[in-house]
C-alpha cells in the first residue's frame, strides 16, 4: 500500500511538473491543480496510513495515535483544498483576462509567441 | 507637557496641516507657526531644569528583548539645539507665509516642514543611539521631500535625490558605527555610552566605529569630500534653505560630533580625521563662495565653510575649542538664517538672485539692506557682532594649540586666510548688491517687502547684535549650559568679552578684515573686466560629476546583473525554481541519507491498486491532453480528483473525502465555464517540431521524471519509517472535553485553529471579490464573442430562409428540460443535506466548508440547466452579502469571547433541554462554523456566477486603438 501511494504521489507530481513547465496558460493551471493533489496526498500521508480509524472520538477508546489516525495533517489538508480552489479560480480569471488583453494564451504574452 | 508630547506635537501639527485646504496660506502659516511657537515656549520652560547640568529623561519600553527603549533625554546641549530648531522654525513659518506664492500648494509645505521639525527634535532628544539613527534618517527623508517641493523643476528633483543619496548613505554608515559602539559598550543608551569613553577609545574596534560615525556626520554636515550636495539643495524654496541649510539639517552632523565628543575625541584618529575634513572644507568652501554669482550659492558655500570651521573646532581635541564650536553653532544659525531670509526677500522683490545684475538696492529697500549688511558683518566676523566672538575664540585656539609643528604654524595661517575669504564673500553679498548705481533692468521693480516678512530677519539680526555687544550677559549662561555636557561636565576657563586685549587673535582678525577688503576690491576690478567669473582651480574638484557617473555606473551594473541572473520569461523561472528545488533535495539527501524504514506495512488490496491505476492514467492523460483537448483534460483531471477523494476516504479521512469531492465538482464547473474564453487550438500538421522544441521537451520531461521520482522516494521513506512524535494526542484528548465535539478535525478547524480558519475564509472572500472585480472589466477575445455553435438554432454557416423569426439569434430554447426539472426538485433536498452536514459537523464528518459547497452546487446546478437569466430571475442570491455576513458572524463569535474576558475565539458550549428535542449541546463554535458556511456559499457563488455572467453580457468590441487610428 505504501509503495503504491508513494508511486501515485510521484506520478501526480511528475505530471504536474511537466505541465507547469509548458508554455500555455491552460497547461500551467492544470499542472497546478495536479500539483495540489500530489502535495495534499503527501501531507496527508505524513500522518501515516490507517484503515477504519477516523479521528472521531468514540467513547471507551483511548485517545492516542494508536487508535486514531493523526487529525493534524487532515485539518491542514482540508484548509489547503479549499484555498486551492480559491487560487485556481483566481488564476483562471487572470488567465482569461490576460488572454483577452494580450490576444494570446502564451504564459509570456505576445512576446513568448514563436 | 511631557517630552514625548513635545516631540509628538510637530508630527500632530504636520498631520493637521496636511488636511487643511491646500491654498489657505494664512491659516496654514498660523497653524504651523503656533505649533512651532508652543514647542519653543515649552523648550524655554525646560531651562531651569537643565541650567546647572541637569538631565531630563523619559523612557518608554520599545524592544526590551534587544535592550532598546524609547528614551528622550534633554541636557543643556540638546536643549540649546531644541531651542534653535523650534524658535527658528517658528520664525521661518512666519517668513514663509509671505514668501510662498498663492499658487503653491502650501499645505504640503507646512506638513513637511513640521514633520521635519519633529524629526530634528527627535534627533536632538534621543537618549538612545539607535533611536537617534532612526530620527536621523527621518530628517534625510523629509528633507528630500522639502528640497523636492517644487517637483516640476528638474533641478529640485535632482538636488533632492542627491541630498537623499548622500545623507542617506551617511546614515547607513552611522547606523553601522552606532552598532559597533553598542557592541563595544553593551548598551545603546546614551548615558551609558557617554560614561564609557575610556573603554571605547581603548577598544580594538574604536577606529571602525569612529570612521563610520564620522562619515555619517560629515555627509550630513556637507563636509569635504561630501560637500557637493548642499549647493544643489538650494533648489529648495528659500524658507527651506533658511531652516534646513543653516540651522537644522546640516547642523545635525556637528550635533552628533559634539554629542559624542566626550566619548570619541582625544585621539590621533579623531584629530586627523576631523581636522583634515574641517580645515579643507573651511578653506575650500570659503574660496568657492567668493566666486559665486547666485546669492543662495554664496550662502551655501559659506555654510559649508562655517560647518567646516565647527568640525575643525571639535576636531582640535581641546575643551576650549569645543566650547567655541558650540558657540559658533548658535551664532552661525542666527546670522545664516537671517541671511538666507534676506536673500529670499531680494529674490522675491527683484525677481533675480544674480549678484552681477543686482546693484544699489539700498535706495529701494533700505531696511532689508541694513539688516543684510549687519548679518553679513556677523558672517565676516566684524567686531561687535556675534560672529566675531566665536571666530576670535577659534583664532585663539589656532594660535595657542600645541601640536605637530606644521600644524602649529599652518593652522593660524589657514585660519587667517579663511577669515580673508569670509570677508570677501560677505562683502560680495552685503555690499555689492546694496550699494552702487541702482540697477534698472531687474525683472521686477524692487521695493520693501511686507513688514511681517522682515520681522523674523529683524529678530535674528537683533540677536546677533545683542550677543555681539554684551555676550556675557545675553548668551553667557546659555552657552555654559549648552557646552558643559559637550566637554563632559567641567567647563574650561574662558571669557566672553568683546575686548580681550591686544594679542595675536585680534591681529589675525584685523588682518582678515583688511585683507578681505583689499581682496574684495581686487576681485571686483577683475570681475568688472570679465575675468574670474568662474571658480579658478577648484571647478574640476567636483564631487557632483563623480556622484553622477557613480550613479549611472551602478544603474548599468544592476541592469546587467538583472539580465544575467534573471528572466522575465515564466518558463525559465519555473525551470530554475524546480531545478533548484531538486538540487537542494539531492544535497540534503547527502546529509540525511534516504533509506526506507521498517514500519509495519499495510497489505495492498486489489481494489485500491485498480483505483489508482485509473487515477494515474487520468493524471498522465490530463498532462498529455491539456495542449489540444482541454475538455478531455478537464474530465481526466476530475477523474484524478475523484480517486484522490476516495483515497482520503480509504485511509480514515472522511472529512477530507467529502471536501475533496465537492471542491472537485465546483473546480470542474469553473474550468468548464472558463474554457469558452480560451482560443481554439488545433494540431497543425504543417508546423514541424523544431530541434529546439525537442530539446526543451526532453529537458522538461527529464525534470518532471526527476521531480516525480524524488517525490515518490521521499514519500516512501516517510511512510515506511517509524512515525515521529506528534502533538496530535493533545487535540485528540481535548476535543471532546474542551472543544465539545467528537470530530477532531472539525473541532480543530473551528476551535483549536479557528484563528487560522478566520484568515482562510477572509482569503476566500477576498479572492471572490477580486475575481468579480477582474471580470467586470473583462474583454473577451474577438473570436469568442459570437454565440458558440451549440447554442445556435442553425449552424452559422447554413444560409436559409426557413427560420422562425422569433427564434433567430436567440438561444435554442427548450433543451435539457428533464434535467432542469429534476435539478429544481433536488434543490430543497440539497438544503436538507447541507443542513445535516452543518449541524452534525462538530461530531461527525461534515462542517461548514462541505455544507457551504453543497448549497453552492445546488444553486449552480440551476444555472447550468436552466440558464443564467432564468436562475437569476427567480433567486436573488447577493453573494457579497453572504460573504459579509459570514465574516461578521465568525468575527463576532470570536469577539464574544473577548467580551466576557477570554482570549479571542475561545469557545463555550451551552447545555440545555428543549421540549420534544431533548438535551441540546450548543457550542459557540457552531456559530463560527455557520460563518464559515456563509462565506463559502457566498465566495463560491460569486466566483462562478461572475464567470457565468460573461456569456450573457453584451460585449462591446474592444475600443479601437487611438494610436493606430491616428497614424
Amino acid at each position: 500500500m505504501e509503495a503504491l501511494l508513494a508511486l501515485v504521489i510521484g506520478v501526480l507530481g511528475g505530471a504536474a511538473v511537466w505541465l507547469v513547465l509548458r508554455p500555455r496558460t491552460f497547461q500551467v493551471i492544470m499542472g497546478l491543480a495536479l500539483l495540489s493533489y500530489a502535495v495534499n496526498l503527501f501531507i496527508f500521508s505524513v500522518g501515516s496510513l490507517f484503515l477504519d480509524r477516523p479521528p472521531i472520538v468514540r467513547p471507551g477508546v483511548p485517545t492516542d495515535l494508536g487508535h486514531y489516525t493523526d487529525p493534524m495533517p487532515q485539518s491542514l489538508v482540508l484548509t489547503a483544498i479549499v484555498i486551492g480552489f480559491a487560487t485556481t479560480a483566481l488564476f483562471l480569471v487572470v488567465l482569461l483576462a490576460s488572454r483577452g488583453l494580450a490576444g494570446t494564451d502564451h504564459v509570456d504574452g505576445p512576446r513568448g509567441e514563436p | 507637557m511631557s517630552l514625548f508630547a513635545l516631540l509628538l506635537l510637530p508630527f500632530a501639527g504636520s498631520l493637521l496641516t496636511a488636511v487643511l485646504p491646500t491654498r489657505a496660506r494664512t491659516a496654514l502659516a498660523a497653524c504651523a507657526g503656533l505649533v512651532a511657537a508652543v514647542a519653543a515656549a515649552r523648550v524655554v520652560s525646560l531651562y531651569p531644569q537643565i541650567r546647572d547640568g541637569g538631565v531630563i529623561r523619559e523612557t518608554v519600553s520599545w524592544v526590551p528583548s534587544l535592550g532598546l527603549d524609547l528614551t528622550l533625554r534633554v541636557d543643556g546641549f540638546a536643549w540649546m539645539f531644541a531651542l534653535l530648531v523650534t524658535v527658528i522654525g517658528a520664525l521661518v513659518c512666519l517668513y514663509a507665509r509671505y514668501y510662498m506664492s498663492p499658487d503653491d500648494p502650501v499645505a504640503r509645505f507646512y506638513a513637511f516642514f513640521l514633520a521635519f521639525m519633529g524629526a530634528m527634535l527627535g534627533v536632538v532628544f534621543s537618549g538612545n543611539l539607535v533611536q537617534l539613527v532612526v530620527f536621523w534618517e527621518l530628517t534625510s527623508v523629509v528633507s528630500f521631500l522639502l528640497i523636492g517641493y517644487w517637483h516640476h523643476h528638474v533641478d529640485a528633483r535632482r538636488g533632492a535625490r542627491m541630498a537623499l543619496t548622500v545623507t542617506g548613505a551617511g546614515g547607513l554608515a552611522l547606523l553601522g558605527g552606532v552598532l559597533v559602539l553598542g557592541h563595544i559598550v553593551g548598551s545603546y543608551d546614551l548615558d551609558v555610552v557617554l560614561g564609557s569613553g575610556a573603554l571605547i577609545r581603548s577598544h580594538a574596534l574604536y577606529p571602525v566605529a569612529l570612521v563610520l560615525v564620522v562619515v555619517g556626520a560629515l555627509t550630513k554636515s556637507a563636509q569635504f569630500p561630501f560637500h557637493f550636495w548642499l549647493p544643489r539643495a538650494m533648489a529648495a524654496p528659500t524658507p527651506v534653505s533658511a531652516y534646513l541649510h543653516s540651522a537644522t539639517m546640516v547642523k545635525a552632523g556637528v550635533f552628533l560630533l559634539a554629542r559624542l565628543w566626550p566619548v570619541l575625541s582625544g585621539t590621533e584618529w579623531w584629530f586627523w580625521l576631523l581636522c583634515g575634513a574641517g580645515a579643507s572644507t573651511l578653506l575650500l568652501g570659503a574660496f568657492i563662495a567668493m566666486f559665486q554669482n547666485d546669492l543662495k550659492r554664496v550662502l551655501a558655500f559659506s555654510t559649508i565653510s562655517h560647518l567646516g570651521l565647527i568640525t575643525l573646532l571639535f576636531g582640535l581635541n581641546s575643551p576650549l575649542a569645543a566650547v567655541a564650536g558650540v558657540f559658533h553653532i548658535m551664532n552661525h544659525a542666527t546670522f545664516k538664517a537671517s541671511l538666507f531670509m534676506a536673500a529670499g526677500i531680494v529674490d522675491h522683490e527683484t525677481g533675480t538672485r544674480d549678484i552681477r545684475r543686482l546693484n544699489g538696492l539700498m535706495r529701494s529697500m533700505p531696511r532689508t539692506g541694513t539688516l543684510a549688511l549687519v548679518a553679513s558683518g556677523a558672517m565676516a566676523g566684524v567686531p561687535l557682532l556675534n560672529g566675531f566672538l566665536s571666530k576670535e575664540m577659534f583664532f585663539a585656539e589656532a594660535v595657542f594649540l600645541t601640536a605637530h609643528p606644521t600644524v602649529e604654524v599652518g593652522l593660524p595661517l589657514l585660519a587667517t586666510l579663511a577669515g580673508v575669504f569670509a570677508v570677501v564673500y560677505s562683502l560680495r553679498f552685503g555690499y555689492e548688491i546694496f550699494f552702487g548705481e541702482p540697477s534698472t533692468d531687474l525683472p521686477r521693480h524692487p521695493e520693501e517687502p511686507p513688514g511681517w516678512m522682515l520681522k523674523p530677519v529683524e529678530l535674528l539680526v537683533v540677536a546677533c547684535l545683542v550677543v555681539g555687544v554684551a555676550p556675557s550677559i545675553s548668551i553667557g549662561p546659555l552657552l555654559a549650559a549648552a557646552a558643559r555636557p559637550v566637554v563632559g561636565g567641567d567647563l574650561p576657563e574662558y571669557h566672553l568679552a568683546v575686548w580681550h586685549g591686544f594679542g595675536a587673535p585680534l591681529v589675525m582678525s584685523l588682518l582678515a578684515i583688511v585683507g578681505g577688503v583689499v581682496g574684495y576690491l581686487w576681485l571686483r576690478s577683475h570681475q568688472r573686466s570679465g575675468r574670474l567669473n568662474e571658480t579658478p582651480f577648484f571647478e574640476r574638484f567636483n564631487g557632483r560629476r563623480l556622484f553622477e557617473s557613480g550613479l549611472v555606473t551602478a544603474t548599468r551594473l544592476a541592469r546587467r546583473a538583472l539580465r544575467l541572473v534573471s528572466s522575465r520569461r515564466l518558463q525559465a523561472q519555473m525551470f530554475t525554481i524546480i531545478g533548484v528545488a531538486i538540487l537542494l533535495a539531492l544535497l540534503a539527501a547527502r546529509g540525511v541519507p534516504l533509506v526506507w524504514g521498517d514500519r509495519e506495512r499495510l497489505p495492498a488490496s486489489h481494489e485500491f491498486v485498480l483505483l489508482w491505476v485509473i487515477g494515474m492514467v487520468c493524471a498522465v492523460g490530463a498532462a498529455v491532453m491539456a495542449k489540444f483537448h482541454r475538455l478531455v483534460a478537464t474530465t481526466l483531471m476530475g477523474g484524478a480528483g475523484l480517486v484522490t477523494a476516495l483515497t482520503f476516504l480509504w485511509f480514515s479521512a472522511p472529512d477530507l473525502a467529502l471536501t475533496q469531492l465537492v471542491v472537485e465538482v465546483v473546480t470542474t464547473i469553473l474550468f468548464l465555464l472558463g474554457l469558452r474564453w480560451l482560443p481554439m487550438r488545433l494540431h497543425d500538421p504543417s508546423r514541424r517540431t523544431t530541434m529546439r522544441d525537442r530539446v526543451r521537451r526532453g529537458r522538461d520531461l527529464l525534470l518532471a521524471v526527476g521531480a516525480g521520482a524524488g517525490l515518490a522516494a521521499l514519500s516512501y521513506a516517510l511512510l515506511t519509517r517509524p512515525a515521529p512524535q506528534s502533538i496530535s494526542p493533545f487535540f485528540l484528548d481535548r476535543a471532546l472535553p474542551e472543544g465539545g465535539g467528537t470530530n477532531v478535525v472539525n473541532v480543530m478547524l473551528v476551535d483549536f485553529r479557528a484563528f487560522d480558519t478566520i484568515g482562510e475564509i477572509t482569503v476566500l472572500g477576498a479572492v471572490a471579490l477580486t475575481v468579480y472585480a477582474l471580470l467586470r472589466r473583462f474583454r473577451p477575445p474577438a473570436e469568442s464573442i459570437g454565440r458558440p455553435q451549440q447554442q445556435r438554432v442553425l449552424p452559422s454557416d447554413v444560409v436559409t430562409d426557413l427560420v422562425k423569426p422569433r427564434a433567430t439569434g436567440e438561444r435554442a430554447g427548450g433543451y435539457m428540460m428533464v434535467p432542469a426539472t429534476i435539478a429544481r426538485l433536488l434543490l430543497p433536498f440539497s438544503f436538507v443535506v447541507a443542513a445535516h452536514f452543518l449541524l452534525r459537523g462538530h461530531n461527525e464528518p461534515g462542517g461548514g466548508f462541505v455544507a457551504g459547497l453543497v448549497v453552492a452546487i445546488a444553486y449552480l446546478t440551476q444555472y447550468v440547466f436552466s440558464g443564467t437569466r432564468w436562475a437569476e430571475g427567480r433567486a436573488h442570491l447577493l453573494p457579497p452579502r453572504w460573504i459579509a455576513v459570514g465574516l461578521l458572524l465568525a468575527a463576532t463569535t470570536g469577539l464574544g469571547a473577548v467580551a466576557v474576558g477570554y482570549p479571542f475565539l475561545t469557545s463555550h458550549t451551552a447545555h440545555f433541554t428543549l421540549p420534544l428535542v431533548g438535551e441540546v449541546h450548543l457550542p459557540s463554535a457552531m456559530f463560527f462554523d455557520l460563518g464559515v458556511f456563509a462565506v463559502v456559499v457566498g465566495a463560491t457563488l460569486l466566483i462562478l456566477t461572475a464567470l457565468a455572467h460573461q456569456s450573457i453580457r453584451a460585449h462591446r468590441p474592444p475600443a479601437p486603438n487611438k494610436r493606430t487610428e491616428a497614424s
Side-chain angles (χ1 to χ4, degrees):
Chain A
M1 221 56 146
E2 283 84 359
L4 178 63
L5 198 65
L7 180 69
V8 163
I9 292 172
V11 169
L12 285 174
V17 167
W18 163 260
L19 279 177
V20 163
L21 290 169
R22 294 300 88 216
R24 301 292 155 188
T25 44
F26 187 76
Q27 293 174 308
V28 176
I29 196 171
M30 282 277 148
L32 287 177
L34 272 182
L35 197 61
S36 72
Y37 293 150
V39 173
N40 283 347
L41 277 176
F42 179 78
I43 295 175
F44 168 69
S45 70
V46 171
S48 32
L49 302 180
F50 284 117
L51 300 178
D52 296 327
R53 284 182 209 160
I56 291 170
V57 181
R58 294 177 300 275
V61 181
T63 52
D64 57 36
L65 287 180
H67 295 83
Y68 296 102
T69 186
D70 194 338
M72 181 135 79
Q74 292 197 14
S75 70
L76 293 177
V77 171
L78 203 150
T79 332
I81 293 173
V82 181
I83 283 287
F85 164 67
T87 48
T88 308
L90 188 61
F91 184 33
L92 182 80
V93 172
V94 170
L95 175 165
L96 294 181
S98 107
R99 155 81 181 115
L101 287 173
T104 166
D105 65 339
H106 195 282
V107 284
D108 297 327
R111 275 177 309 140
E113 204 66 56
Chain B
M1 186 158 49
S2 73
L3 288 181
F4 277 102
L6 173 59
L7 177 60
L8 286 178
L9 181 68
F11 290 110
S14 166
L15 286 180
L16 178 66
T17 45
V19 298
L20 284 177
T22 187
R23 312 234 185 259
R25 284 198 296 170
T26 311
L28 283 163
C31 177
L34 201 67
V35 167
V38 169
R42 176 61 189 146
V43 171
V44 170
S45 72
L46 292 174
Y47 180 62
Q49 296 179 58
I50 53 89
R51 180 175 46 199
D52 303 313
V55 175
I56 317 169
R57 274 179 72 100
E58 280 179 25
T59 303
V60 170
S61 194
W62 183 19
V63 192
S65 54
L66 289 178
L68 290 183
D69 290 326
L70 281 178
T71 306
L72 297 188
R73 175 187 182 282
V74 182
D75 58 10
F77 183 59
W79 179 84
M80 183 274 284
F81 244 95
L83 193 70
L84 287 181
V85 167
T86 49
V87 169
I88 296 186
L91 295 179
V92 172
C93 281
L94 176 60
Y95 173 80
R97 156 65 185 83
Y98 296 94
Y99 180 85
M100 303 304 281
S101 103
D103 301 329
D104 286 321
V106 277
R108 189 154 52 90
F109 173 82
Y110 284 111
F112 291 158
F113 187 84
L114 287 178
F116 183 84
M117 184 186 291
M120 201 62 210
L121 278 181
V123 171
V124 169
F125 283 168
S126 283
N128 177 308
L129 287 178
V130 176
Q131 184 191 341
L132 187 146
V133 177
V134 171
F135 281 109
W136 177 283
E137 290 290 31
L138 194 60
T139 60
S140 293
V141 172
V142 184
S143 78
F144 166 77
L145 296 170
L146 278 170
I147 296 170
Y149 173 73
W150 282 324
H151 51 70
H152 49 280
H153 292 320
V154 68
D155 285 1
R157 292 199 302 271
R158 293 209 178 135
R161 188 182 64 178
M162 188 187 277
L164 181 66
T165 315
V166 175
T167 57
L172 273 183
L174 174 63
L175 177 63
V178 160
L179 292 179
V180 176
L181 278 182
H183 172 74
I184 297 174
V185 181
S187 167
Y188 295 108
D189 192 275
L190 190 58
D191 279 320
V192 181
V193 172
L194 286 180
S196 329
L199 170 70
I200 292 173
R201 283 190 296 271
S202 59
H203 200 277
L205 284 173
Y206 166 74
V208 182
L210 178 70
V211 168
L212 288 171
V213 169
V214 165
V215 165
L218 295 188
T219 49
K220 199 79 166 179
S221 281
Q223 294 298 289
F224 182 82
F226 309 111
H227 61 285
F228 52 89
W229 68 264
L230 185 60
R232 306 267 293 184
M234 291 298 121
T238 304
V240 172
S241 309
Y243 192 49
L244 265 61
H245 306 134
S246 69
T248 52
M249 160 101 164
V250 291
K251 289 280 167 64
V254 286
F255 168 81
L256 186 74
L257 294 180
R259 186 83 283 180
L260 295 176
W261 196 87
V263 181
L264 295 179
S265 74
T267 60
E268 288 281 298
W269 277 88
W270 174 269
F271 180 84
W272 288 110
L273 270 177
L274 290 189
C275 288
S280 41
T281 315
L282 168 65
L283 215 53
L284 188 72
F287 182 77
I288 299 178
M290 293 193 296
F291 297 96
Q292 299 304 313
N293 291 316
D294 178 339
L295 287 179
K296 278 180 82 175
R297 282 179 75 88
V298 174
L299 294 180
F301 280 105
S302 138
T303 301
I304 292 176
S305 159
H306 279 273
L307 287 164
L309 169 60
I310 299 169
T311 309
L312 176 60
L313 282 170
F314 286 126
L316 286 176
N317 280 340
S318 126
L320 199 53
V323 174
V326 175
F327 193 26
H328 200 63
I329 289 179
M330 301 159 142
N331 293 337
H332 177 249
T334 41
F335 68 69
K336 195 48 73 65
S338 61
L339 281 170
F340 265 114
M341 290 185 191
I345 290 174
V346 169
D347 184 18
H348 198 254
E349 298 301 323
T350 63
T352 179
R353 297 197 308 245
D354 192 335
I355 295 181
R356 286 166 298 184
R357 294 181 64 185
L358 293 163
N359 268 316
L361 290 179
M362 202 49 139
R363 200 163 300 173
S364 46
M365 17 197 341
R367 283 172 69 195
T368 314
T370 316
L371 293 171
L373 205 61
V374 177
S376 29
M379 174 160 77
V382 173
L384 294 182
L385 292 167
N386 61 354
F388 171 75
L389 298 172
S390 41
K391 201 158 241 180
E392 194 85 334
M393 284 169 92
F394 166 53
F395 285 162
E397 274 305 302
V399 173
F400 302 125
L401 181 81
T402 43
H404 197 270
T406 40
V407 177
E408 278 183 20
V409 179
L411 197 61
L413 278 178
L414 182 140
T416 319
L417 195 58
V420 170
F421 292 164
V423 172
V424 172
Y425 66 67
S426 300
L427 280 171
R428 287 204 72 205
F429 186 96
Y431 180 80
E432 187 151 330
I433 62 171
F434 289 104
F435 292 91
E437 211 38 42
S439 320
T440 48
D441 59 340
L442 294 174
R444 250 174 261 157
H445 181 68
E447 56 185 42
E448 237 9 301
W452 284 103
M453 195 174 183
L454 270 177
K455 281 280 174 304
V457 192
E458 282 168 6
L459 267 171
L460 290 169
V461 169
V462 166
C464 292
L465 261 172
V466 170
V467 171
V469 174
S472 53
I473 311 168
S474 57
I475 200 79
L478 291 185
L479 178 62
R484 193 174 291 122
V486 174
V487 294
D490 301 316
L491 275 178
E493 195 68 28
Y494 65 89
H495 279 292
L496 280 181
V498 182
W499 179 251
H500 275 124
F502 196 81
L506 191 64
V507 174
M508 286 160 76
S509 278
L510 289 178
L511 267 178
I513 291 175
V514 173
V517 172
V518 172
Y520 167 69
L521 293 174
W522 181 81
L523 180 67
R524 194 170 64 163
S525 69
H526 270 270
Q527 285 189 334
R528 290 250 164 102
S529 52
R531 276 168 291 170
L532 286 178
N533 274 321
E534 301 278 312
T535 316
F537 316 122
F538 290 105
E539 195 63 9
R540 271 182 299 143
F541 288 99
N542 197 339
R544 188 184 59 121
R545 211 168 289 163
L546 201 67
F547 171 83
E548 271 165 9
S549 64
L551 215 58
V552 168
T553 316
T555 314
R556 194 175 300 153
L557 280 179
R559 217 171 272 157
R560 197 170 296 165
L562 201 64
R563 211 175 303 141
L564 201 68
V565 301
S566 163
S567 163
R568 296 179 73 170
R569 289 177 43 241
L570 183 72
Q571 279 177 286
Q573 294 177 10
M574 282 298 192
F575 184 81
T576 317
I577 291 174
I578 295 170
V580 169
I582 292 180
L583 207 66
L584 285 180
L586 283 179
L587 285 178
R590 288 179 47 145
V592 185
L594 197 64
V595 287
W596 321 136
D598 48 2
R599 187 164 17 141
E600 195 186 341
R601 309 283 207 274
L602 279 179
S605 70
H606 296 296
E607 295 87 344
F608 193 72
V609 174
L610 190 62
L611 195 65
W612 266 113
V613 169
I614 299 170
M616 287 189 280
V617 169
C618 281
V620 176
V624 175
M625 289 296 172
K627 188 169 185 187
F628 293 120
H629 305 282
R630 299 198 187 104
L631 186 60
V632 178
T634 311
T635 316
L636 289 173
M637 174 80 81
L642 284 183
V643 176
T644 309
L646 285 173
T647 311
F648 288 142
L649 191 60
W650 202 287
F651 294 118
S652 328
D655 278 285
L656 286 191
L658 270 176
T659 316
Q660 180 74 56
L661 192 68
V662 281
V663 164
E664 211 43 60
V665 175
V666 286
T667 310
T668 309
I669 298 179
L670 179 81
F671 278 128
L672 292 177
L673 283 170
L675 280 185
R676 180 178 160 190
W677 308 110
L678 284 171
M680 194 179 311
R681 289 197 75 81
L682 293 174
H683 184 62
D684 180 7
S686 67
R687 189 170 173 270
R688 298 266 308 277
T689 319
T690 59
M691 197 59 201
R692 218 171 123 231
D693 287 344
R694 268 173 222 211
V695 169
R696 181 190 288 169
R697 280 177 206 165
R699 190 192 70 180
D700 290 353
L701 190 65
L702 214 63
L703 205 61
V705 170
L711 261 176
L714 186 64
S715 121
Y716 188 65
L718 209 63
L719 281 167
T720 51
R721 290 186 197 180
Q725 281 297 313
S726 162
I727 56 166
S728 300
F730 171 88
F731 298 119
L732 287 168
D733 271 343
R734 311 275 173 105
L736 190 54
E738 292 182 21
T742 51
N743 182 357
V744 184
V745 174
N746 184 274
V747 172
M748 284 177 77
L749 282 178
V750 299
D751 194 333
F752 295 130
R753 293 178 63 238
F755 202 38
D756 185 73
T757 308
I758 276 218
E760 192 203 351
I761 56 178
T762 313
V763 169
L764 204 59
V767 166
L769 291 174
T770 314
V771 164
Y772 178 70
L774 276 173
L775 285 175
R776 274 171 64 91
R777 292 233 152 231
F778 177 60
R779 293 277 170 276
E783 75 269 14
S784 15
I785 287 179
R787 284 192 175 286
Q789 192 86 353
Q790 294 86 339
Q791 286 187 12
R792 296 177 207 240
V793 180
L794 282 176
S796 59
D797 50 351
V798 172
V799 183
T800 172
D801 53 356
L802 297 174
V803 176
K804 274 197 292 182
R806 248 188 315 154
T808 314
E810 290 293 317
R811 72 185 175 86
Y815 70 131
M816 295 212 288
M817 287 297 275
V818 176
T821 311
I822 295 175
R824 262 167 245 167
L825 290 176
L826 276 177
L827 189 62
F829 292 100
S830 319
F831 292 159
V832 174
V833 170
H836 176 67
F837 278 140
L838 181 65
L839 289 175
R840 76 168 198 174
H842 219 46
N843 296 314
E844 300 281 327
F849 281 115
V850 179
L853 284 164
V854 167
V855 169
I857 291 171
Y859 275 120
L860 287 170
T861 326
Q862 313 305 317
Y863 274 80
V864 170
F865 290 124
S866 308
T868 309
R869 284 186 208 282
W870 188 93
E872 301 212 325
R874 280 154 188 81
H876 302 284
L877 290 171
L878 304 173
R881 290 203 192 164
W882 282 84
I883 298 177
V885 167
L887 283 177
L888 278 177
L889 198 59
T892 327
T893 315
L895 287 174
V898 179
V900 293
Y902 286 96
F904 185 57
L905 284 168
T906 311
S907 74
H908 174 74
T909 307
H911 303 272
F912 50 87
T913 319
L914 282 182
L916 292 180
V917 183
E919 199 178 337
V920 173
H921 306 283
L922 192 63
S924 69
M926 178 76 220
F927 295 101
F928 184 82
D929 217 10
L930 204 61
V932 173
F933 164 78
V935 174
V936 172
V937 172
T940 316
L941 280 179
L942 187 58
I943 292 172
L944 293 173
T945 56
L947 257 176
H949 260 282
Q950 299 307 315
S951 54
I952 61 161
R953 270 171 57 173
H955 286 296
R956 286 179 290 143
N961 195 332
K962 282 198 184 120
R963 219 178 315 153
T964 48
E965 223 171 48
S967 64

